[in-house]
Amino acid sequence: MLAILLAYFGACAELDPRPPLPEEKALAISDDTPLDRATAPFEARYPEQSAFRLVVEGTEAFAVRAQTARLAKRSIDVQSYIWHADLTGMYFANELLLAADRGVKIRVLLDDVDARRNNDAIAALSAHPNIEIRTFNPFATRSGTFSLMAEGLSSFSRINRRMHNKSWIADNRLAIVGGRNIGDEYFSASDDVNFVDLDFAMVGPVVRQASASFDEYWNSSSAYPMEVLDPDQVSLDALNLLRPKLAAHAAKAEQSPYSQALRTNDAIQRMINGDWPMQWAHKYQFVADDPDKVTMQERDANRAQVATALVPMAQAAQSRLSIISPYFVPGDRGTEVLTSAARSERSVRVLTNSLVANDVAAVHGGYSRYRKPLLEAGVQLWELKPLTEGKRESSFFGSSGASLHTKALAVDGRALFVGSYNLDPRSAWLNCEQGVLVENDELALQLEQIFQKETGGTHAWRVSLEAGKLSWSDGKERLNKEPDASLGRRFQAWFSRTFHLDAQL
C-alpha cells in the first residue's frame, strides 16, 4: 500500500517548466558607494589585474560578509548550496532585509535541497520589493516528508543533480567565493562540529566574472522564483511576521561573541586603509560549470567544465602538487593522474577527512578503495582528525569537533585553486560547481602553509603502508585500523566500498 501511495503522489509531483522571464544582469559598477570608493583606486593602480585574499578563519569569513552587507548601496548577489535557519543564517537574512530596506537590490539563488525546508521564510522574504529569491532545480512539492519521498522515487535522476556553488558579491566590487555555505558550522559558531574551510575574497575584474556566472545561473531555466513555486506564501503579511523573528535572532547574535568578531575583525575598513593584505595577479580564471549541467546527458563531456580546467593544472605540476578535498574519491582516471605524477618523482600530497571526521561516511568508503594504489605509487595521504587541538581556531561556543570542508589545490608553489569542487564523481558529473584558479607565488605558498599546518600530527593522521597493510600515525602513536570510527560508520563505509557507489559520491 505504501509503495502504491508513493507512486501516486510521485506522479502528481511533476515540476512544470519555468515560465519565460526577462533576462536580468548584475548592476554595473559606479563610483558612488563605499565599496566603489574603497576598491576603485586599487583597480586603477593595477589595471587588468585582480586581488585575492585567502580567508581561512571562520570569524573573518563572517565579518567580511556582514560588513559588505552593511556597506553595499547598490546590490548584493548571493549563491549558496545551503542556508541554515540558525544563528548565522538568520543574522545574514536580517542583514539582507535591512539592506533591501535601504534600497539595495538583493538577489539570492539557493539550491533547493536545503531551501525547501525553509520554504515559508524564503517566500516571505521574496515579498519585499527589493528582494528576489530563486531556487535552483527545485522540488515540485514544497513541504512534507511523504511527498518528498514520493518525488524522490519519481524524479530521482533530476533531483539528484544539485547546485553546489557558493558566492557573495557586494556592489559588483567585492566577491567572496569558495567552500563556505551559510550556517553556523561554516563560521566557527557551532557548538557541535565546525568545518575547516576556505574562501577567496576578491577585488577587480574577477568579481565581474563571478557576477557573469551568477547571472548565467540566475537566468537559467532551472532557477525558479518563489512567486512561481509557491505564490500563496509570497505575501507582505508573512514578511511582516518574519521581521521581528529575524530581528530577535540578530539581537541575540549581537549579544554573542559575534559582536566582538565584528569589532575586532574590521576587514573591510582595514582594506580601505591599506591594512588588509591582498595579492594582485595578472593570471586568474573564474571557472563554473554550465547551469544546464543538471539537464545534460550522463557523461556528457560538457558537464565537467571545472574538472576540465583542473586536470591540466594538476598534470602541469613539475615538482609538487598539494590537494585538499574533504570528499576525495579520485576514481580510476583521477588515480591514474595522481599515481603517474608520483611515479615521475613529483611530490603528490593529499589531505582528506578520516572516517570519523567525514560527515558522509559513504564517501569515505568510496575513497578507501583507492588508498592502497595511491600509496603504492608514492602518493602521500593524510586524514583529518575529528578533534581540534593546539592552535586551531575554536568555536565561539566551545566546539571541539572539526571536519574538513576546504576544496583547494596548489601546484609548484606558483598556482592554486579554491572553490566548491571536491575531487569526486559527484562534483565532476552531477553537481554544478565553481572556483577560481590564480597564478601567484605568495598565495600558493600560503595554501601550502595551510596544508602543512593541517597535516601536522596535532590535526591529522599520516596514512602509510606497513608490510602491505594500512597504518595511521600522528607521530605519537601508530594504529592499524581506521582511528576512532564507530561500528556504524565502518558499516556505511564498507557498504559503499563493497557495492561501488562511487558514481553517487
Side-chain angles (χ1 to χ4, degrees):
M1 178 60 72
L2 178 61
I4 294 173
L5 288 172
L6 287 174
Y8 171 76
F9 284 106
C12 296
E14 292 295 328
L15 183 69
D16 293 328
R18 195 200 72 176
L21 295 170
E23 188 174 82
E24 295 183 17
K25 297 290 187 182
L27 297 181
I29 58 174
S30 183
D31 57 5
D32 56 354
T33 75
L35 289 173
D36 288 324
R37 294 189 289 272
T39 61
F42 292 106
E43 291 196 38
R45 193 181 310 166
Y46 301 97
E48 299 183 7
Q49 296 185 55
S50 289
F52 303 88
R53 176 180 174 85
L54 289 173
V55 181
V56 181
E57 307 296 352
T59 47
E60 182 172 69
F62 169 80
V64 174
R65 287 168 172 84
Q67 289 161 19
T68 53
R70 294 177 177 182
L71 287 172
K73 300 296 183 183
R74 189 169 47 245
S75 64
I76 301 174
D77 291 334
V78 183
Q79 188 173 6
S80 189
Y81 175 60
I82 287 172
W83 192 310
H84 288 323
D86 54 16
L87 194 64
T88 55
M90 299 286 271
Y91 185 94
F92 284 128
N94 189 64
E95 288 294 332
L96 294 186
L97 179 58
L98 294 176
D101 289 342
R102 299 194 305 268
V104 180
K105 181 181 178 182
I106 309 294
R107 297 188 298 173
V108 178
L109 180 59
L110 301 173
D111 186 89
D112 205 33
V113 75
D114 184 66
R116 182 183 182 273
R117 74 186 67 183
N118 300 312
N119 179 81
D120 292 355
I122 292 170
L125 285 169
S126 298
H128 195 291
N130 288 327
I131 298 177
E132 188 173 0
I133 302 178
R134 297 183 181 183
T135 63
F136 193 83
N137 194 21
F139 297 90
T141 60
R142 303 313 301 160
S143 63
T145 302
F146 189 82
S147 57
L148 180 63
M149 291 171 58
E151 189 172 359
L153 288 175
S154 64
S155 305
F156 178 77
S157 178
R158 178 182 68 82
I159 64 177
N160 188 40
R161 303 179 184 186
R162 309 313 319 169
M163 181 196 75
H164 199 230
N165 311 35
K166 296 105 173 171
S167 59
W168 179 290
I169 309 170
D171 282 348
N172 212 356
R173 282 292 193 178
L174 189 145
I176 309 160
V177 303
R180 286 184 174 93
N181 294 295
I182 305 298
D184 288 353
E185 62 268 37
Y186 301 97
F187 301 106
S188 301
S190 172
D191 57 3
D192 185 12
V193 173
N194 285 297
F195 285 122
V196 178
D197 220 325
L198 189 65
D199 288 326
F200 257 146
M202 312 187 302
V203 169
V206 71
V207 176
R208 268 70 80 187
Q209 292 181 8
S211 288
S213 175
F214 181 95
D215 288 343
E216 190 175 4
Y217 277 83
W218 184 257
N219 294 305
S220 164
S221 61
S222 294
Y224 284 63
M226 290 305 298
E227 291 84 355
V228 171
L229 283 177
D230 198 353
D232 293 340
Q233 296 298 322
V234 182
S235 74
L236 289 175
D237 288 342
L239 176 59
N240 289 332
L241 289 173
L242 181 63
R243 279 183 180 275
K245 296 179 182 178
L246 292 179
H249 275 273
K252 182 179 178 182
E254 292 291 356
Q255 296 167 9
S256 78
Y258 281 116
S259 59
Q260 179 182 355
L262 285 173
R263 288 195 303 269
T264 62
N265 208 321
D266 192 7
I268 302 304
Q269 186 59 48
R270 288 168 55 209
M271 182 187 72
I272 294 171
N273 296 336
D275 186 35
W276 197 54
M278 302 186 82
Q279 296 295 319
W280 289 85
H282 288 279
K283 293 185 178 181
Y284 54 85
Q285 182 186 6
F286 184 94
V287 293
D289 289 327
D290 190 322
D292 286 341
K293 182 177 183 178
V294 296
T295 62
M296 291 178 183
Q297 293 298 311
E298 189 173 352
R299 298 290 173 172
D300 184 328
N302 292 323
R303 285 169 67 182
Q305 293 184 19
V306 177
T308 299
L310 289 179
V311 169
M313 180 181 179
Q315 291 176 322
Q318 297 296 309
S319 59
R320 61 188 185 275
L321 172 64
S322 302
I323 297 171
I324 306 176
S325 182
Y327 310 136
F328 178 63
V329 187
D332 294 338
R333 173 59 176 152
T335 300
E336 179 185 347
V337 171
L338 298 179
T339 55
S340 175
R343 288 192 178 104
S344 62
E345 297 185 356
R346 286 171 282 179
S347 172
V348 180
R349 308 183 300 171
V350 178
L351 171 64
T352 190
N353 275 310
S354 64
L355 176 55
V356 66
N358 202 318
D359 63 330
V360 185
V363 171
H364 191 85
Y367 147 68
S368 66
R369 294 178 52 228
Y370 301 97
R371 271 190 301 210
K372 280 192 175 182
L374 290 167
L375 291 168
E376 288 169 347
V379 175
Q380 303 168 66
L381 294 180
W382 284 265
E383 296 178 3
L384 190 80
K385 290 181 176 181
L387 299 180
T388 56
E389 300 176 25
K391 297 182 179 180
R392 188 195 300 280
E393 182 191 34
S394 61
S395 162
F396 288 140
F397 306 121
S399 164
S400 63
S403 181
L404 186 66
H405 202 255
T406 300
K407 305 107 166 62
L409 65 86
V411 175
D412 293 339
R414 61 171 179 80
L416 72 162
F417 167 86
V418 175
S420 67
Y421 184 92
N422 290 292
L423 209 163
D424 63 13
R426 173 161 288 276
S427 284
W429 302 110
L430 295 175
N431 288 348
C432 293
E433 305 285 356
Q434 69 178 33
V436 186
L437 292 81
V438 183
E439 290 191 24
N440 181 277
D441 294 352
E442 179 60 31
L443 290 169
L445 177 61
Q446 289 176 19
L447 182 55
E448 290 185 342
Q449 290 172 340
I450 292 170
F451 186 99
Q452 200 69 27
K453 173 186 174 183
E454 294 299 336
T455 55
T458 301
H459 296 155
W461 289 290
R462 173 77 181 269
V463 187
S464 60
L465 286 175
E466 300 291 336
K469 295 183 178 181
L470 293 170
S471 70
W472 290 257
S473 173
D474 61 3
K476 295 181 180 179
E477 62 176 342
R478 185 173 296 277
L479 306 170
N480 58 10
K481 65 179 182 178
E482 301 274 4
D484 298 341
S486 67
L487 182 61
R489 296 185 71 80
R490 291 177 192 275
F491 174 78
Q492 292 177 57
W494 170 85
F495 187 90
S496 173
R497 180 174 63 250
T498 301
F499 292 95
H500 291 227
L501 302 181
D502 294 20
Q504 298 300 319
L505 303 176

